[in-house]
DNA sequence: TAGATTGTTAATCGATTAACAATC
DNA sequence: TAGATTGTTAATCGATTAACAATC
């Protein structure tokens, strides 16, 4: 096993979109596609598509294009969708509950193992068969049940503390919905969903200036 | 009023982060900050910070740095936070309800005017004093009540249809949580929150390849 | 074989960083 | 005035696009 060292973040950020479009093509029983055709659907240039894919291997065939099913499988592989990731949600507020209720993530191979919260009113409740546990037991739980991805949905002021607990107990992936930038060791990966940033970006695009 | 024509998306995407960090500095009663100090906090280079800010004006002062309160105000202005945006949520499922329950967006000047759904079980319910309306009345509602930003939280297969209705009734900003790429006229801006893409990016970062 | 389309190198474009004169 | 720090130009770096030989 060797790290994907030289793959730029720009490329990685495009991979999920390839995965999605190829999945749709598969569902529509399309067998093959050229970079040119895919380009028209997905909105990247054909050149960029070929460059991106060639970061990972020679998946195409001259004169033919790409086999949709095979390419989808390759990208699934690159995205790490061939294994099951164990996840835990910390914070069962609005966003935590929303994420817990999603079923799409399960289908992609992300298994929700536990939910934690501080609020006695929600502790003991169940979301899709997963009981909300007292956050005081987070550390103990992680020691017994290794988790791959911690999904942080607590208020910003508690997020770093929760993050530290996760990291201390071996969690290597953090999906962070709190509006803070978390500090983690180098081997821990953080992916932020900063909804306010997203909304402000939109607001900026809608605004003219003097 | 003149368009921010030559500002790259890379710069725009950083603005919310400036806004957030400067807001925190203000809360901590910091009066002035140099690009170097801000660089250490925010994680961009000092040079990049100065370049970014100079896209919009000369906000600093040689030998002194930037006045925190003034710079925060300028960025609020650039982000369009000086006006109130009227928003409507379409789709009162998990994510729609979560967004509706957020109060931070109200504080930033985004006012939730209405919520729509197809499900008779939720129509008539209220989230923070906003009643969930029948989606059949969306078009009529928009004609009477101009909306700046439509927040699409319906399932992917209905998203484009909802989007078309919004656009047809003058909505210029779409905050899209559905997992599709929407087609809109050039003068309509779409900001996507594709949670699956985000999770898959994280999964990719956690994965080694052969 | 002829046509199509890849993989890949080279050229271009854009974004980031470095440097420094201007100036508070 | 001396020191600090900006605004801005120039240099570098990286990402995208174009071009085309290789080859199915």
């Amino acid at each position: 096993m060797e790290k994907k060292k030289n793959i730029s973040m720009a490329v990685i950020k495009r991979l999920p979109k390839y995965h999605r479009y190829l999945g749709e093509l598969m569902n529509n029983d399309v067998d093959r596609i050229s970079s040119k055709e895919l380009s028209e659907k997905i909105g990247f240039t054909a050149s960029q598509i070929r460059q991106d894919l060639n970061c990972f291997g020679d998946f195409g065939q001259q004169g033919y294009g790409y086999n949709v099913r095979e390419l989808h499988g390759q990208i699934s592989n690159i995205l790490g969708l061939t294994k099951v990731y164990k996840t835990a949600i910390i914070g069962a507020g609005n966003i935590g509950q929303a994420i817990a209720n999603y079923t799409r993530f399960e289908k992609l191979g992300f298994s929700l193992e536990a939910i934690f919260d501080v609020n006695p009113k929600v502790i003991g409740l169940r979301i899709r068969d997963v009981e909300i546990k007292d956050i005081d037991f987070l550390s103990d739980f992680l020691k017994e049940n290794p988790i791959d991805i911690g999904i942080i949905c607590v208020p910003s002021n508690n997020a770093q503390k929760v993050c530290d607990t996760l990291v201390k107990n071996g969690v290597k992936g953090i999906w962070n919905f709190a509006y803070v930038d978390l500090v983690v060791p180098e081997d821990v990966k953080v992916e932020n969903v900063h909804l306010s940033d997203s909304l402000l970006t939109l607001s900026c695009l809608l605004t003219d200036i003097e």
Side-chain angles (χ1 to χ4, degrees), chain A residues 10-25 38-44 48-49 52-53 72 75 79:
Chain A
V11 174
I12 290 177
K13 286 278 176 190
R14 281 193 292 271
L15 292 176
K17 202 164 166 182
Y18 288 119
H19 186 261
R20 170 156 57 99
Y21 275 80
L22 288 164
E24 282 169 17
L25 287 168
L38 187 56
S39 162
E40 281 152 18
K41 288 194 183 294
I42 207 170
F44 308 148
Q48 179 162 70
I49 292 171
D52 283 354
L53 298 178
H72 184 263
I75 290 175
L79 288 171

Side-chain angles (χ1 to χ4, degrees), chain A residues 23-76:
Chain A
E24 282 169 17
L25 287 168
M26 255 170 63
N27 289 341
N28 295 334
D29 293 317
V30 178
D31 287 335
R32 64 166 282 270
I33 194 156
S34 69
S35 57
K36 183 154 173 292
E37 289 171 296
L38 187 56
S39 162
E40 281 152 18
K41 288 194 183 294
I42 207 170
F44 308 148
T45 65
S47 197
Q48 179 162 70
I49 292 171
R50 295 203 298 280
Q51 287 272 25
D52 283 354
L53 298 178
N54 276 95
C55 292
F56 304 100
D58 294 3
F59 303 141
Q61 196 173 81
Q62 280 103 329
Y64 173 85
Y66 299 87
N67 178 289
V68 171
R69 185 169 298 271
E70 194 210 308
L71 187 55
H72 184 263
Q74 293 284 4
I75 290 175
S76 296

